Amino acid sequence: MAGLLGGDPAQLNLDAGGSSAILQGKLEEADHSSTNWYFPREELDRTSPSLRDGIDSRRETYFRKSYCTFLQDLGMRLKVPQVTIATAITFCHRFYLRQSHARNDRFMIATVCMFLAGKVEETPRVLKDVIYVSYTLRNKKDPSANNRIKQKDLYEAQKQLVLYGERLVLTTLGFDLNVHHPYRPLVAAIKKFNVSQHALAQVAWNFVNDGLRTSLCLQFKPHHIAAGAIFLAAKFLKVKLPIDGERAWWQEFDVTPRQLEGTFSRL
Amino acid sequence: MLELKNGIGAKRYVKGISLGEGTYGVVFKALDTQTNRTVAVKKIRLGKYKEGVHVTALREIKLLKELRDPNIIELIDVYPHKRNLHLVFEFMESDLEAVIRDRNILLSPADVKSYMQMCLRGLAHCHKKWVLHRDLKPNNLLISSDGQLKLGDFGLARIFGSPDRKFTHQVFARWYRSPELLFGSKQYGSGVDIWAAGCIFAELLLRRPFLQGSSDIDQLGKIFQAFGTPRETQWPDMTSLPDYVEFQFTPAPALRSLFPMATEDALDLLSKMFAFDPKARITAQQALEHRYFSTDPAPTKAHLLLRPASKAEGMRPPPELASPKEPVVLSPPAKARRISLFPGVAGAEHIHHSKESKDGSSAATVGETPSDHSGMAITDRSYLKRKLDMDVHFEDERHV
């Protein structure tokens, strides 16, 4: 993806001309986080608790991808909205900012995060369903798993794990349950700039989803990611983005060219 | 890496008397040793709920962390302890229901204005952050020791704004429920809170609940008796609501006849808060900009509002009212006059007379109940420990 992008921030202005008169007010969401959840990549790599247990950043990246894939799959099987999946993924990312992979099974933590995200996003799924679906998914290759989890002993053990895990996740997250996603600023921007191309929205949306699987949401705030995704999508589809006099569209997101560059080069 | 502030959580607070039973657990008073502030700790039993931490608790935590405003209760801290979750709030001395009920308090027009202004400010902040309170009623409007009114109890609150999201209409105490809720609307907005705020406004003026329906249908009947049956032109969407039923037409009496003492401005604002069509109902922000708040009399300053007899007396220092530094005469003359009608029960003395009931009995037992939830066998625990890397405080609480 990075190959698509010129390094020169001036290029971010794209082609002037497609003007839009409705560029008023900012799209930035206020920062509500009582705790800072955003760190530069280098710091993330350097301070990872997993690293101290001998898990290098390549391996952690692999772990991250694997629980994201798992959560996406789990969420779809539980039929929760994408926002709930995104929240579960973010909880998981943040959990491993403060806890080690070596001592916390990532699929169990992911299951807990999905259960919790369901409640937090007002799309709850009953614990029993979460456990059944998660267990079968984790043991996909084992056809007997489906029946095994229905046995009381195994089910009870899994249930206790999830319930204790819920408390562990909550305390690790410092009870900070407000997760803001790039979806809202993305949709707002697309509406605001009157970008009617359905394709642009779709491609930008996909970039946001892709970004979710990386440490991107630990490095950049949602509206920065949204801005990066729109820019990248426009570039990808060779669509002109509107400009209003001196103000480029991305200024609406309150990002600097440098931040924007940083965002999309990671995408 | 992990801040162990939760570990010291339980030690940070010195437990005081019980303040009563909340929706999902005991609330007790405590002293925050870090700040020397009096706080209220809501203890939520985790073991009871088979679906893990209860969604109302999660909601309250999530939303209150988002809402920081002088007119919204502050969530100071959250920590797990034993098999409970503890939510630490700023301590609130009283609530608006106690004010309205306390016949020794005369509410001047300026006092009513002050309460309404604080209520609407808190509400405007909620709505700005896309949060619906959904349970406004006088006893959820808490009053701090410096007289500030704050919105409390966010256990029913929800984020709104996604157009296709459906909500339950079973919210609010019935008397504060808006007509669209009573007609079963599931896609409502901030108007439901405004209607409830209007009911509270009316209650402040009347000193009794305004529309006391005994069933949902009766509630609608009471509403239409007061404001007339809405016509199609007043509220076009009404007939398409899920539980819509046609009511026999009653004409609206003059609003003035219901609130003989209210000023024109007050009546005008009230009528806008009670607009039938939620789309036409005034917003919290618009209400705050209504001329009612800018014309005389100016709202009474919060710390000058007369406080009711407190619900629970504990380590709290005697209220300012009782102290010689702040004599009763600071209140508007009207109030002093009212109090003097009851020579025996003047402001200060009154504080002491109704405190006994709630606290005495349960005080000793709070927090000392041994946690006897057996949970799981010892052998299972080591497995857990391996799997989840439990924190110290999880570990030792299971041995308590």
Side-chain angles (χ1 to χ4, degrees):
Chain A
M1 276 301 124
L4 273 171
L5 308 160
D8 180 11
Q11 280 198 359
L12 293 176
N13 287 312
L14 296 176
D15 315 79
S19 68
S20 166
I22 42 164
L23 299 180
Q24 276 161 7
K26 302 220 176 214
L27 292 174
E28 178 176 17
E29 291 191 339
D31 178 15
H32 309 295
S33 49
S34 52
T35 333
N36 177 29
W37 288 110
Y38 302 98
F39 303 94
R41 175 75 181 267
E42 301 68 39
E43 199 179 328
L44 286 177
D45 288 348
R46 203 180 61 239
T47 59
S48 158
S50 302
L51 188 66
R52 274 180 281 142
D53 285 329
I55 294 167
D56 63 17
S57 75
R58 254 190 66 203
R59 190 139 182 83
E60 188 166 2
T61 305
Y62 164 75
F63 283 161
R64 199 177 280 137
K65 286 229 163 67
S66 87
Y67 68 65
C68 286
T69 310
F70 173 74
L71 277 170
Q72 189 67 43
D73 208 352
L74 179 62
M76 278 155 69
R77 285 174 193 230
L78 287 167
K79 297 193 171 66
V80 295
Q82 185 60 33
V83 170
T84 305
I85 297 175
T87 298
I89 290 177
T90 309
F91 283 167
C92 232
H93 285 332
R94 291 180 177 181
F95 178 86
Y96 286 112
L97 267 186
R98 296 176 169 185
Q99 303 271 23
S100 165
H101 273 287
R103 283 173 285 166
N104 300 277
D105 181 88
R106 62 182 183 280
F107 296 111
M108 182 44 77
I109 292 299
T111 305
V112 168
C113 287
M114 179 57 75
F115 178 55
L116 189 60
K119 290 193 275 188
V120 166
E121 296 295 347
E122 305 286 352
T123 53
R125 293 295 177 267
V126 290
L127 182 55
K128 202 171 106 187
D129 291 350
V130 176
I131 289 172
Y132 279 8
V133 176
S134 162
Y135 191 83
T136 2
L137 189 57
R138 271 179 290 158
N139 298 280
K140 250 194 292 202
K141 291 182 184 125
D142 179 0
S144 65
N146 199 7
N147 284 324
R148 213 171 341 121
I149 187 62
K150 287 181 180 146
Q151 289 162 13
K152 197 162 179 277
D153 289 355
L154 180 60
Y155 174 76
E156 277 302 314
Q158 289 285 312
K159 182 175 143 187
Q160 292 305 328
L161 271 172
V162 174
L163 291 181
Y164 279 111
E166 184 178 42
R167 299 183 60 181
L168 177 65
V169 169
L170 281 170
T171 40
T172 302
L173 298 181
F175 290 90
D176 219 342
L177 305 174
N178 283 302
V179 178
H180 295 278
H181 296 298
Y183 301 113
R184 206 191 265 230
L186 180 70
V187 171
I190 284 171
K191 271 190 195 147
K192 187 158 194 162
F193 300 132
N194 216 3
V195 186
S196 48
Q197 292 93 338
H198 181 69
L200 183 83
Q202 191 59 53
V203 173
W205 188 274
N206 288 343
F207 281 138
V208 166
N209 282 345
D210 290 348
L212 204 57
R213 291 160 179 252
T214 66
S215 61
L216 204 72
C217 63
L218 299 174
Q219 299 170 54
F220 301 100
K221 295 188 176 170
H223 57 280
H224 292 176
I225 298 178
I230 291 188
F231 175 74
L232 203 58
K235 194 97 179 160
F236 189 72
L237 296 168
K238 300 192 171 62
V239 173
K240 285 181 190 176
L241 287 169
I243 262 198
D244 179 26
E246 294 297 296
R247 280 170 72 81
W249 64 272
W250 48 266
Q251 285 177 310
E252 293 302 308
F253 288 96
D254 214 27
V255 293
T256 63
R258 183 171 290 276
Q259 283 172 318
L260 193 54
E261 193 190 355
T263 317
F264 59 66
S265 66
R266 302 280 190 208
L267 264 166
Chain B
M1 192 67 187
L2 172 63
E3 276 178 84
L4 278 177
K5 89 172 191 207
N6 305 303
I8 60 157
K11 291 197 186 101
R12 179 174 160 184
Y13 307 97
V14 180
K15 224 168 265 179
I17 57 160
S18 161
L19 296 171
E21 193 85 14
T23 335
Y24 34 58
V26 185
V27 183
F28 56 84
K29 204 168 174 175
L31 183 72
D32 182 348
T33 55
Q34 225 172 69
T35 58
N36 242 348
R37 264 170 89 184
T38 305
V39 294
V41 179
K42 202 185 226 180
K43 190 165 116 182
I44 298 164
R45 285 180 292 267
L46 289 181
K48 245 176 100 179
Y49 186 55
K50 61 182 189 335
E51 291 290 315
V53 179
H54 201 287
V55 72
T56 49
L58 291 174
R59 234 177 241 159
E60 192 154 23
I61 295 167
K62 177 186 167 186
L63 298 179
L64 282 178
K65 280 202 162 213
E66 181 110 359
L67 301 168
R68 295 277 175 201
D69 187 84
N71 296 113
I72 294 173
I73 188 148
E74 184 193 349
L75 178 65
I76 298 166
D77 192 11
V78 184
Y79 63 92
H81 182 59
K82 299 187 178 161
R83 285 185 62 98
N84 302 305
L85 196 60
H86 288 193
L87 272 57
V88 183
F89 295 95
E90 57 181 321
F91 177 72
M92 301 300 276
E93 200 175 86
S94 186
D95 59 60
L96 196 62
E97 189 181 27
V99 172
I100 293 170
R101 291 263 174 87
D102 192 329
R103 290 290 147 191
N104 291 301
I105 297 175
L106 183 106
L107 290 171
S108 72
D111 298 348
V112 171
K113 196 176 284 188
S114 176
Y115 283 125
M116 280 316 291
Q117 192 176 45
M118 293 189 282
C119 172
L120 286 166
R121 277 180 181 159
L123 210 48
H125 185 77
C126 287
H127 293 169
K128 203 175 109 199
K129 300 277 182 178
W130 301 97
V131 172
L132 295 182
H133 187 282
R134 305 200 306 177
D135 197 17
L136 283 188
K137 54 187 176 186
N139 73 347
N140 279 343
L141 299 177
L142 308 173
I143 292 171
S144 71
S145 56
D146 56 358
Q148 282 289 334
L149 178 147
K150 296 171 192 244
L151 273 52
D153 202 338
F154 280 72
L156 275 180
R158 284 286 295 263
I159 298 275
F160 70 106
S162 330
D164 48 342
R165 201 163 243 193
K166 295 206 167 132
F167 295 138
T168 169
H169 57 280
Q170 297 300 340
V171 288
F172 290 94
R174 183 182 296 120
W175 296 344
Y176 305 91
R177 235 176 260 163
S178 63
E180 68 268 27
L181 288 172
L182 293 160
F183 278 140
S185 170
K186 289 179 177 59
Q187 286 174 295
Y188 47 82
S190 53
V192 295
D193 283 337
I194 298 297
W195 181 277
C199 294
I200 292 163
F201 193 3
E203 193 164 334
L204 281 164
L205 296 168
L206 299 169
R207 299 299 289 268
R208 60 171 166 75
F210 175 40
L211 303 161
Q212 307 182 48
S214 55
S215 66
D216 285 4
I217 288 292
D218 185 46
Q219 186 66 32
L220 280 163
K222 292 272 182 340
I223 292 172
F224 298 154
Q225 244 171 51
F227 304 114
T229 320
R231 297 169 192 277
E232 191 89 27
T233 48
Q234 262 175 297
W235 188 6
D237 303 334
M238 169 177 63
T239 49
S240 51
L241 290 172
D243 302 339
Y244 173 73
V245 277
E246 207 179 323
F247 275 73
Q248 201 186 359
F249 183 79
T250 10
L255 200 54
R256 159 74 52 218
S257 66
L258 301 172
F259 304 95
M261 306 297 281
T263 63
E264 279 310 315
D265 291 339
L267 285 186
D268 186 72
L269 176 57
L270 202 57
S271 69
K272 288 180 167 134
M273 296 175 82
F274 283 127
F276 276 121
D277 187 347
K279 290 195 196 106
R281 212 170 288 155
I282 197 166
T283 68
Q285 193 51 48
Q286 289 163 350
L288 285 168
E289 288 155 17
H290 190 274
R291 64 175 188 274
Y292 168 68
F293 290 109
S294 49
T295 47
D296 275 347
T300 309
K301 293 204 166 41
H303 68 280
L304 296 178
L305 288 163
L306 211 58
R307 240 70 50 69
S310 73
K311 285 202 289 192
E313 200 83 352
M315 41 176 106
R316 185 168 60 85
E320 291 86 324
L321 268 178
S323 83
K325 270 182 282 174
E326 268 185 276
V328 188
V329 285
L330 273 180
S331 326
K335 270 190 240 168
R337 198 172 61 239
R338 174 81 165 115
I339 285 166
S340 66
L341 287 177
F342 302 87
V345 214
E349 287 157 57
H350 184 76
I351 306 253
H352 298 282
H353 92 166
S354 70
K355 68 186 182 201
E356 57 311 78
S357 54
K358 279 185 182 166
D359 39 323
S361 53
S362 45
T365 53
V366 180
E368 285 157 26
T369 334
S371 88
D372 55 350
H373 311 269
S374 48
M376 42 193 322
I378 306 251
T379 44
D380 292 339
R381 286 182 195 153
S382 59
Y383 173 55
L384 270 176
K385 172 93 179 94
R386 216 172 47 241
K387 268 284 222 193
L388 287 172
D389 191 26
M390 289 301 172
D391 285 303
V392 201
H393 56 274
F394 282 118
E395 191 54 23
D396 56 35
E397 75 194 36
R398 264 172 280 142
H399 295 292
V400 173

